[in-house]
Amino acid sequence: RDPSVAPRDFDQTYRYDVEHAWGTRGHMRGSFCFSCGKIASFGPGYSGQVHGCPLEQMSPDELAREFRVLGLRREDIARIVGHTLHGRARTACAQFFASTHPGVDPAALPSAIYHPSAFFRLS
């Protein structure tokens, strides 16, 4: 959660929209999100905004810091950041998925993770 948004404000301002997007309100169908390719084409946000693909937009140092917070191993962090430095965000995403889902072979994932919903479903 965003610490700048109080729980009461979230409930009053955002809850319905989130539930509608997930298909638990309104027409009861989930909303579709953009593909990885479309998200990667978004420009960087303004200060304080977060949107787009973090593997495409964050600096290597920022990514490494975030991955350490998530508890990833140093060798996994180095591998993921290395892929991003060479413009292989989908491969980096597959490596991140494999690092956070034990027993998954990252070599089988780059073609499978083409959309945020696919990442979510595979989880």
Side-chain angles (χ1 to χ4, degrees):
R1 283 198 167 191
D2 184 346
S4 67
V5 179
R8 181 180 171 141
D9 292 337
F10 177 83
D11 288 342
Q12 291 177 345
T13 308
Y14 304 106
R15 179 173 297 280
Y16 181 85
D17 293 332
V18 171
E19 291 174 350
H20 190 274
W22 281 97
T24 58
R25 295 279 183 118
H27 54 65
M28 305 304 281
R29 293 175 299 175
S31 296
F32 298 100
C33 58
F34 294 118
S35 69
C36 291
K38 178 71 173 177
I39 292 170
S41 72
F42 294 160
Y46 296 105
S47 178
Q49 290 184 339
V50 179
H51 65 272
C53 175
L55 296 169
E56 295 272 354
Q57 295 183 354
M58 292 175 77
S59 73
D61 291 337
E62 290 174 308
L63 284 172
R65 187 172 33 256
E66 290 296 322
F67 293 148
R68 279 192 298 275
V69 168
L70 292 173
L72 271 64
R73 300 177 317 175
R74 286 187 190 273
E75 54 271 13
D76 290 335
I77 293 171
R79 198 172 296 121
I80 296 166
V81 171
H83 288 306
T84 63
L85 288 172
H86 292 94
R88 298 187 303 257
R90 283 181 61 184
T91 306
C93 185
Q95 184 64 53
F96 172 75
F97 187 93
S99 298
T100 56
H101 296 79
V104 173
D105 178 15
L109 291 174
S111 62
I113 299 178
Y114 56 91
H115 197 279
S117 296
F119 188 100
F120 180 73
R121 276 192 304 275
L122 289 171
S123 289

